[in-house]
């Protein structure tokens, strides 16, 4: 049953007894003054059974505890200790100084309720709405977008350890005693704490062990594939075999590790939603990716999301625009870096209701003339080369990453062969071709626009969001505390709420809204 905060403060209320000791401008002091207006118990009514059971710990108190834990970077055990012993926390929560605190498991159970009922999204939206009501955040404005890696909490393993862990997980799901005696004997090798004792430096021995492991895994899958309680573990083991193992090997001598990395490769059995990712050529990561939208005037976060680390930045932009609109602070124009500059992202963002401003990724051709050195008419279509020759010959050029038919304009072989600029244009003996993008006209317009002084000024504002990403990381969004994308999103949203509240405090917007609400009530 829903528990509620008693509006009648205790005689031992920490805020009353310690008045003046906790700085009013600190995060604890601001939360003590405004926390209850941000989070109310009735907002959590749908998380609890109505009319029966013991009253819960007031959920508004637990939500504020979650924000304090993010602010101070405490674990559940440390959080329980802080609630019991830290007078700043007691002041922020309006608890009496003799309050015994809560058991650490209380917080994990409460987080499950938050995730199940989307209360973290509700809180984030309420903070954005508060900023709009205070007049510090426009209802529609130019906003900035960027992403940053989040280091996953799951253990990243090689193929042998992934398979061994997945075999163990499937045996636990099925129940060791339900398997045949023969299967139990074969599985014993892979259920020990340590990996099988072979010469792991010997490639032949490793391949033989892989064949033995694959055989055991396939027999285990055959024995458990029709059991509903094993479906998740069966799916994980089957996916690992498919992504990492070539069943026959290129030489036909049995299972062998695949030579190429699968596009959506699972890297951890403890967190199967983690992925390999790359922020740049030099920066690799295993885990997730944080996506932010910020309004640069107020420096407030208006939208946030978490995806697997291998997700392209542009794939999330349109949804973040829609989220900012739902949160009450629509993005009329979105400014990002070149990761958002492709044609598909521009079209999707426009469909979502915003204009995208970002540099178009440049073309490269190993020092020779690039596509930008040609004059292209995407409507005819035609292309004119630096030597002044024009072609209208259009040929198929495979399919793009979305499966759409691609095309290219090809110059006559004789023209290219006799051209004095050939060495600066073409490698090999064939004629020059110029690929046409599905959104060629749109990209040409964007490439021309990015030279305009107004667009250049907007692009120079983009780095402002880098500081906001650092603030989120300082609040705990740089490294996952939990496993699974949804729980990492919970962590990111709580960090964003902390960052926004601190910014609202700097802007004196919290007091403004409280004054407006009081006047409206009167």
């Amino acid at each position: 049953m829903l528990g509620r905060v008693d509006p009648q403060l205790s005689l031992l209320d920490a805020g009353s007894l310690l008045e003046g000791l906790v700085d009013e401008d600190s995060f604890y002091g601001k939360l003590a003054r405004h926390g209850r207006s941000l989070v109310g118990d009735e907002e959590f009514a749908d998380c609890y059974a109505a009319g029966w059971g013991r009253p819960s710990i007031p959920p508004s108190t637990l939500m504020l505890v979650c924000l304090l834990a993010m602010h101070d970077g405490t674990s559940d055990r440390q959080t329980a200790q802080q609630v019991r012993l830290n007078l700043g926390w007691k002041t922020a929560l309006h608890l009496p100084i003799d309050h015994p605190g809560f058991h650490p498991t209380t917080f994990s159970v409460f987080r499950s309720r938050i995730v199940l009922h989307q209360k973290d999204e509700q809180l984030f939206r309420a903070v954005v709405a508060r900023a709009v009501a205070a007049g510090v955040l426009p209802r529609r404005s130019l906003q900035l977008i960027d992403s940053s890696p989040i280091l996953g909490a799951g253990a990243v393993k090689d193929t042998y350890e992934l398979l061994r862990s997945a075999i163990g997980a499937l045996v636990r799901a099925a129940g060791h005693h339900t398997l045949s005696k023969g299967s139990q004997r074969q599985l014993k090798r892979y259920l020990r704490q340590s990996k099988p004792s072979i010469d792991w430096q010997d490639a032949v021995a490793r391949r033989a062990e892989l064949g033995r492991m694959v055989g055991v895994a396939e027999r285990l899958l055959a024995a458990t594939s029709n059991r509903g309680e094993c479906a998740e573990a069966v799916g994980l083991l089957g996916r690992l075999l498919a992504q990492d193992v070539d069943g026959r090997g290129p030489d036909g001598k049995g299972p062998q590790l695949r030579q190429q990395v699968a596009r959506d490769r699972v890297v951890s059995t403890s967190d199967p939603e983690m992925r390999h990712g790359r922020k740049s050529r030099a920066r690799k990561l295993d885990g997730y990716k944080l996506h932010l939208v910020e309004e640069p005037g107020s420096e407030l976060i208006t939208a946030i999301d978490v995806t697997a680390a291998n997700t392209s930045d542009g794939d999330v932009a349109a949804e973040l625009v829609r989220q900012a609109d739902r949160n009450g602070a629509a993005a009329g124009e979105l400014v990002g870096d070149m990761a958002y500059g492709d044609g598909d992202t521009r079209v999707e963002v426009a469909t979502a209701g915003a204009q995208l401003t970002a540099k178009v990724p440049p073309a490269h051709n190993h020092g020779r003339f690039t596509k930008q050195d040609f004059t292209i008419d995407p409507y005819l279509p035609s292309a004119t080369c630096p030597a002044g020759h024009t072609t209208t010959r259009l040929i198929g050029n495979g399919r793009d990453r979305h499966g759409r038919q691609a095309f290219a304009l090809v110059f006559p072989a004789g023209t290219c062969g006799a051209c004095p600029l050939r060495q600066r244009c073409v490698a090999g003996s064939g004629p020059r071709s110029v690929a046409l993008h599905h959104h060629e006209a749109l990209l040409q317009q964007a490439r021309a626009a990015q030279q305009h002084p107004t667009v250049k000024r907007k692009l120079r504002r983009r780095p402002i969001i880098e500081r906001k990403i650092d603030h989120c990381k300082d609040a705990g969004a740089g490294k996952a505390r939990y496993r699974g994308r949804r729980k990492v999103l919970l962590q990111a949203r709580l960090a964003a709420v902390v960052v926004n509240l601190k910014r609202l405090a700097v802007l004196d917007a919290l007091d403004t809204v409280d004054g407006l609400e009081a006047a409206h009530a009167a």
Side-chain angles (χ1 to χ4, degrees):
M1 187 169 68
L2 177 67
R4 295 173 174 82
V5 172
D6 188 349
Q8 183 68 44
L9 295 178
S10 165
L11 292 174
L12 297 178
D13 176 68
S16 301
L17 292 177
L18 303 175
E19 186 175 1
L21 293 182
V22 176
D23 186 355
E24 290 187 0
D25 293 328
S26 69
F27 186 72
Y28 312 109
K30 292 292 185 180
L31 211 58
R33 290 183 61 187
H34 308 289
R36 298 301 178 191
S37 64
L38 285 169
V39 187
D41 293 318
E42 296 303 326
E43 298 167 10
F44 296 84
D46 56 334
C47 298
Y48 298 88
W52 59 280
R54 292 181 301 172
S56 68
I57 297 171
S60 61
T61 297
L62 291 179
M63 182 61 91
L64 295 178
V65 169
C66 289
L67 295 179
L68 288 167
M70 288 302 302
H71 180 268
D72 288 7
T74 56
S75 66
D76 286 353
R77 190 169 296 278
Q78 292 168 334
T79 297
Q81 186 178 44
Q82 291 290 82
V83 173
R84 186 171 67 254
L85 300 177
N86 190 311
L87 295 179
W89 281 45
K90 286 183 181 289
T91 300
L93 299 171
H94 292 286
L95 295 178
I97 58 174
D98 62 344
H99 192 282
F102 313 116
H103 193 276
T105 57
T106 302
F107 308 121
S108 61
V109 173
F110 183 67
R111 282 195 300 271
S112 298
R113 294 183 189 272
I114 294 175
V115 169
L116 183 62
H117 297 276
Q118 304 293 330
K119 295 303 177 182
D120 52 338
E121 180 181 11
Q122 181 176 319
L123 176 60
F124 178 77
R125 187 171 297 169
V127 173
V128 173
R130 194 179 186 91
V132 173
V136 297
L137 182 59
R139 294 185 182 275
R140 188 173 181 85
S141 61
L142 178 147
Q143 298 183 26
L144 313 176
I145 186 171
D146 204 358
S147 70
S148 182
I150 300 176
L151 184 63
V156 179
K157 302 176 180 179
D158 61 25
T159 298
Y160 294 93
E161 284 299 284
L162 285 174
L163 290 175
R164 197 163 70 89
S165 298
I167 288 172
L170 181 50
V171 170
R172 289 190 295 273
H176 192 273
H177 63 282
T178 66
L179 303 174
S180 67
K181 296 295 184 183
S183 294
Q184 292 181 29
R185 286 194 298 271
Q186 294 171 345
L187 288 165
K188 187 176 180 180
R189 182 180 182 86
Y190 303 111
L191 300 180
R192 301 188 181 114
Q193 291 294 324
S194 59
K195 64 172 70 174
S197 180
I198 66 168
D199 183 1
W200 289 97
Q201 303 301 315
D202 185 350
V204 175
R206 289 200 306 272
R207 183 169 181 181
E209 182 60 36
L210 179 65
R212 186 183 298 113
M213 185 180 292
V214 169
V216 170
E218 289 176 343
R219 286 189 287 273
L220 180 60
L221 286 172
T224 58
S225 59
N226 60 348
R227 296 174 58 175
E229 71 275 17
C230 304
E232 184 176 349
V234 165
L236 177 59
L237 180 55
R239 180 169 183 172
L240 292 175
L241 288 172
Q243 73 177 18
D244 283 358
V245 179
D246 185 343
R248 293 182 57 83
D251 55 6
K253 295 182 180 179
Q256 184 175 345
L257 295 180
R258 291 191 183 277
Q259 297 304 304
Q260 294 182 333
V261 178
R263 174 175 173 78
D264 201 35
R265 182 174 183 265
V266 175
V267 300
S268 172
T269 51
S270 55
D271 186 355
E273 295 184 85
M274 285 174 50
R275 293 292 182 270
H276 290 308
R278 188 185 290 273
K279 182 62 177 173
S280 66
R281 289 194 175 189
R283 294 179 62 191
K284 299 179 182 178
L285 65 135
D286 294 308
Y288 298 91
K289 191 180 285 187
L290 172 69
H291 304 267
L292 289 182
V293 173
E294 176 196 16
E295 196 280 312
S298 62
E299 297 187 25
L300 290 167
I301 301 168
T302 61
I304 186 168
D305 200 2
V306 169
T307 64
N310 61 351
T311 304
S312 172
D313 289 358
D315 292 346
V316 190
E319 177 53 37
L320 287 173
V321 169
R322 287 188 284 268
Q323 184 191 139
D325 192 12
R326 292 194 299 269
N327 293 338
E333 185 172 358
L334 197 64
V335 179
D337 59 22
M338 282 193 295
Y340 303 92
D342 63 280
D344 292 304
T345 301
R346 293 177 188 276
V347 171
E348 291 167 3
V349 168
T351 303
Q355 175 188 337
L356 179 64
T357 299
K359 286 187 176 181
V360 179
H364 300 282
N365 192 24
H366 307 289
R368 300 181 184 88
F369 291 136
T370 68
K371 181 178 177 178
Q372 277 70 64
D373 295 312
F374 290 70
T375 301
I376 300 173
D377 182 347
Y379 301 104
L380 187 56
S382 69
T384 302
C385 71
H389 303 294
T390 300
T391 182
T392 58
R393 184 188 171 202
L394 192 67
I395 65 170
N397 193 30
R399 295 188 178 275
D400 62 17
R401 70 186 186 98
H402 295 286
R404 299 171 302 208
Q405 177 65 57
F407 298 93
L409 288 164
V410 182
F411 286 84
T415 302
C416 287
C419 182
L421 300 179
R422 177 180 176 81
Q423 296 302 317
R424 297 174 57 190
C425 187
V426 184
S429 58
R432 176 64 189 259
S433 64
V434 178
L436 293 180
H437 194 278
H438 186 76
H439 300 291
E440 185 66 39
L442 178 62
L443 292 177
Q444 284 191 15
Q445 294 170 8
R447 193 174 287 110
Q450 70 191 32
Q451 303 303 321
H452 195 278
T454 302
V455 174
K456 288 183 176 181
R457 284 196 296 272
K458 292 176 181 178
L459 290 172
R460 283 197 292 269
R461 301 183 72 184
R462 193 207 63 80
I464 294 174
I465 197 172
E466 301 285 355
R467 181 168 67 247
K468 193 57 56 177
I469 288 174
D470 285 342
H471 292 167
C472 286
K473 289 187 174 183
D474 290 341
K479 183 177 180 180
R481 294 185 176 190
Y482 319 115
R483 299 188 181 107
R485 189 202 71 85
R486 181 59 184 89
K487 291 181 181 178
V488 178
L489 176 57
L490 163 66
Q491 177 182 338
R493 280 175 175 161
L494 292 177
V497 168
V498 170
V499 170
N500 274 353
L501 287 177
K502 294 176 75 171
R503 182 60 186 168
L504 285 171
V506 171
L507 297 172
D508 288 330
L510 293 173
D511 294 313
T512 300
V513 173
D514 282 346
L516 290 173
E517 291 177 347
H520 180 71

